[in-house]
Amino acid sequence: MTVTIEAVHGPEYAREIKDLFLAHDRPEFPDFFDRTYPPAFANGATSWLGRDADGRLVMHIACLPRRYRFAGSEVVAGLLANLIVAPAYRSFFPGLALVNRLVRDSQARGLIDFLYADPNEGSRTLVRGTRFVRVGTLRRYVLPVRDRRRYVDLGLRLFHGLVRAANGAPRRGKVVSHPAAGFAADTFGVPPERSPRLAPYHDRALYLSRLKDYPAEQDWWLTWDGNGTARSPRAAVLVRGPDASGLAALHALRGAPGVALASFLPGLIAELRRRGCERLQVTTVAESALGRALRRGGFVPRNDTAPLVALPLTPLGEECVRSVKDWEITDLDCDR
């Protein structure tokens, strides 16, 4: 089957792309497109379209630029997103041609240091047929926070106390919660200059695109001052929830170098309990330092996983791909 592939400015083909997703049981996509694509394409994103012999759109994939800082260097990564292939073209080669075209064009432009993706089951075969290599595993972690049954809740309090003891006495400092609607999140948008981590830049456009209706009533930030002053907090986390089931989600962790999760986790747990949260979930790279810190903090690894694959395009990108232990990302920085 003949497929013609072209690189385009996605928003100019909004109706066609949305219709392709709607035709394949993705009713949530048009709203996501409207939130995400205009700012992403204003910052250099690209869509690749595959058309059949009659000119009908049958394939789509996008590459969304993501800015990072790594060991003092500025890094541009390309997140592969929104891959969809019509059923008649889901044999191996049409989709492979689409991904390979994205890779060739990205290399030719010379603007991206590495490409990465967290492919779902349907697209993993395609990625395996390219030069992408698996560098890690995205895993969901869940922290039990409280329970309505008194005896179980008492056990959880004991569990949290044992975790604190195992991590050593937390550093002093004050935690303060802030409604997201009134919080200056841009203060934590830029990674620290001297951080050894692969830390992403965050801005309001990212929060708006990845969290529907942000800042919603259930969105809030918690800051930790590190025994300094409330005007100059050293760490902040973005939480959504809890929902009616008692589940909250931690979507962003922003902190100065040397700030450990254990430093402010007791204060975060206390605030979550006050809000009626029973479980807190977060997704990150299992092999990373953050993944290890979550496990030490009492977060339980769940079976909800996805492979993390990457392809370096520059020497700096190759260094980043080799250092997955230093990646400090959450679901906000992925295509989950």
Side-chain angles (χ1 to χ4, degrees):
M1 290 181 289
T2 301
V3 178
T4 302
I5 299 171
E6 61 177 337
V8 303
H9 184 73
E12 295 179 5
Y13 297 82
R15 186 69 271 159
E16 278 190 289
I17 296 172
K18 290 178 183 179
D19 286 345
L20 178 64
F21 278 80
L22 288 172
H24 297 92
D25 301 321
R26 293 287 302 275
E28 81 290 346
F29 182 77
D31 179 70
F32 173 81
F33 185 100
D34 291 339
R35 297 196 318 269
T36 303
Y37 275 53
F41 279 76
N43 288 320
T46 303
S47 278
W48 283 261
L49 308 182
R51 298 185 183 277
D52 65 14
D54 296 321
R56 289 187 295 262
L57 185 61
V58 295
M59 298 191 300
H60 171 271
I61 192 172
C63 181
L64 309 179
R66 291 287 190 263
R67 293 178 60 212
Y68 287 87
R69 182 173 282 164
F70 177 63
S73 298
E74 298 296 312
V75 180
V76 179
L79 171 63
L80 276 60
N82 307 137
L83 170 63
I84 191 166
V85 179
Y89 292 84
R90 288 180 184 171
S91 61
F92 180 71
F93 292 103
L96 179 64
L98 184 70
V99 175
N100 281 336
R101 173 65 183 274
L102 181 156
V103 172
R104 289 198 304 271
D105 288 352
S106 298
Q107 286 179 313
R109 291 169 184 168
L111 302 176
I112 292 177
D113 293 296
F114 70 93
L115 300 168
Y116 73 106
D118 53 308
N120 58 27
E121 288 189 25
S123 57
R124 288 172 193 171
T125 301
L126 295 180
V127 172
R128 283 199 294 269
T130 68
R131 292 183 290 126
F132 281 83
V133 296
R134 181 166 181 162
V135 295
T137 302
L138 285 176
R139 183 178 291 275
R140 184 171 68 96
Y141 293 87
V142 176
L143 175 70
V145 176
R146 67 184 292 273
D147 197 282
R148 298 172 186 177
R149 295 163 293 181
R150 183 172 298 180
Y151 67 95
V152 177
D153 193 58
L154 181 61
L156 286 178
R157 286 179 178 271
L158 177 61
F159 169 70
H160 295 150
L162 291 174
V163 169
R164 285 197 300 271
N167 286 311
R171 292 171 57 182
R172 293 182 178 181
K174 182 179 181 180
V175 294
V176 181
S177 65
H178 315 262
F183 184 69
D186 287 347
T187 303
F188 292 93
V190 178
E193 289 187 8
R194 299 180 181 178
S195 173
R197 302 164 293 188
L198 181 74
Y201 283 80
H202 281 178
D203 58 19
R204 182 179 176 82
L206 178 64
Y207 300 135
L208 288 170
S209 68
R210 298 294 293 156
L211 299 175
K212 184 178 180 180
D213 298 326
Y214 179 89
E217 184 177 353
Q218 70 268 33
D219 296 327
W220 51 281
W221 287 82
L222 181 135
T223 58
W224 176 75
D225 66 10
N227 205 29
T229 67
R231 293 183 179 179
S232 57
R234 301 198 66 222
V237 295
L238 168 60
V239 179
R240 168 165 281 193
D243 59 18
S245 71
L247 177 67
L250 195 161
H251 290 294
L253 297 93
R254 317 295 293 171
V259 174
L261 177 67
S263 299
F264 58 86
L265 186 57
L268 174 60
I269 292 173
E271 179 61 23
L272 289 166
R273 289 180 62 88
R274 188 186 71 80
R275 291 173 179 260
C277 175
E278 297 185 5
R279 304 175 315 283
L280 176 68
Q281 68 177 13
V282 59
T283 297
T284 195
V285 183
E287 296 84 356
S288 67
L290 177 56
R292 292 193 297 274
L294 290 170
R295 294 190 290 273
R296 289 196 302 270
F299 284 78
V300 180
R302 311 302 294 179
N303 292 329
D304 184 4
T305 64
L308 180 66
V309 301
L311 174 62
L313 302 181
T314 68
L316 177 58
E318 188 170 353
E319 186 178 354
C320 293
V321 170
R322 286 199 308 264
S323 302
V324 71
K325 64 182 177 58
D326 297 317
W327 287 32
E328 190 169 274
I329 64 173
T330 67
D331 59 331
L332 284 187
D333 309 298
C334 302
D335 187 38
R336 294 182 64 103

